[in-house]
Amino acid sequence: MDLRVKRTTKNIKDAFFELRKKKSIEKISVKELSELAMINKATFYLHYRDIYELSDKLEIELVERIISEVKPINFLLSRENFKLFSRTLSLAIIRNDDEIRTLFSGYENNHFINHLERTLKNFIFSTYPSIRNNNENNIFLTFIIQGSFHTYIRNSKIDKTVLIENTTNMTSNLAEEYNFFNF
């Protein structure tokens, strides 16, 4: 990608984040964003159809970044790998906290976690097709993904190490109790 295009895209994204921290997406105009990014409106429209497409692309990038952290972990291999998967998912959410809270405040918060859950499950089921048709596995994955996210969001003032250890131990204990993935 051309350096000028990269710089323009970065300026657009940075301006969007700055505006999004102050107001809802519905109140952000292309004119306002373009002025802050120091580009003209035509340049914005070369990259994005509208503000919502920009927001959608940022959401996709964020979800892909989080999933890329857990992808290499074969959590079917052992309990320790399962714990590593759970811990890594929690860490990825924490590492992207500012971006998550900026892009998905209020109602949008649920939109993000539902997108993350759907995308992560698609990856898991395509990687491990043998677990796809098991309702208990599906329920447990929802519990892990949604639970990790909401636990952090609602308890973000708690020490991160304590939060991650507790979340990891709880999901691991539940996985063992219910013989999740037949460890």
Side-chain angles (χ1 to χ4, degrees):
M1 182 185 291
D2 184 312
L3 186 58
R4 289 173 296 167
V5 173
K6 281 184 181 180
R7 188 174 27 244
T8 299
T9 303
K10 182 181 180 336
N11 288 349
I12 291 170
K13 290 176 181 180
D14 289 348
F16 180 78
F17 278 113
E18 188 174 328
L19 291 170
R20 189 64 180 89
K21 285 181 179 184
K22 298 174 189 171
K23 55 176 74 175
S24 66
I25 191 170
E26 300 84 21
K27 296 186 178 180
I28 299 173
S29 70
V30 171
K31 180 181 185 232
E32 178 182 34
L33 187 140
S34 298
E35 288 172 1
L36 188 58
M38 296 184 287
I39 60 169
N40 62 47
K41 284 171 51 174
T43 302
F44 175 86
Y45 287 116
L46 284 174
H47 297 274
Y48 306 99
R49 184 176 57 252
D50 56 26
I51 294 290
Y52 295 99
E53 180 183 32
L54 168 59
S55 182
D56 288 345
K57 287 189 177 185
L58 291 170
E59 178 181 346
I60 289 166
E61 288 175 14
L62 178 58
V63 166
E64 288 175 353
R65 194 166 48 249
I66 290 171
I67 290 174
S68 72
E69 293 189 39
V70 297
K71 267 186 175 180
I73 303 167
N74 181 349
F75 57 86
L76 289 177
L77 197 59
S78 67
R79 284 185 180 90
E80 288 308 309
N81 279 26
F82 179 77
K83 285 178 85 168
L84 179 61
F85 172 83
S86 180
R87 180 178 293 113
T88 303
L89 178 61
S90 293
L91 282 169
I93 290 168
I94 289 169
R95 258 194 291 285
N96 292 283
D97 176 65
D98 187 50
E99 196 171 340
I100 291 169
R101 288 182 191 271
T102 299
L103 289 175
F104 309 104
S105 59
Y107 166 76
E108 295 294 321
N109 199 317
N110 285 329
H111 179 75
F112 166 74
I113 188 55
N114 291 338
H115 183 172
L116 178 63
E117 177 190 356
R118 200 172 39 255
T119 307
L120 187 51
K121 278 182 166 180
N122 284 339
F123 162 72
I124 290 169
F125 291 145
S126 66
T127 305
Y128 311 106
S130 64
I131 66 170
R132 176 183 294 276
N133 297 321
N134 183 312
N135 289 334
E136 289 176 1
N137 290 345
N138 192 21
I139 291 167
F140 198 73
L141 284 171
T142 296
F143 181 82
I144 292 167
I145 298 163
Q146 293 272 350
S148 295
F149 176 75
H150 289 290
T151 298
Y152 173 69
I153 293 297
R154 288 184 175 86
N155 298 283
S156 59
K157 303 271 189 257
I158 295 174
D159 177 79
K160 306 304 181 250
T161 306
V162 171
L163 193 61
I164 290 168
E165 282 308 308
N166 277 288
T167 304
T168 300
N169 288 336
M170 286 176 190
T171 56
S172 180
N173 290 341
L174 282 171
E176 188 172 342
E177 183 176 333
Y178 291 102
N179 200 21
F180 186 63
F181 293 148
N182 300 314
F183 287 136

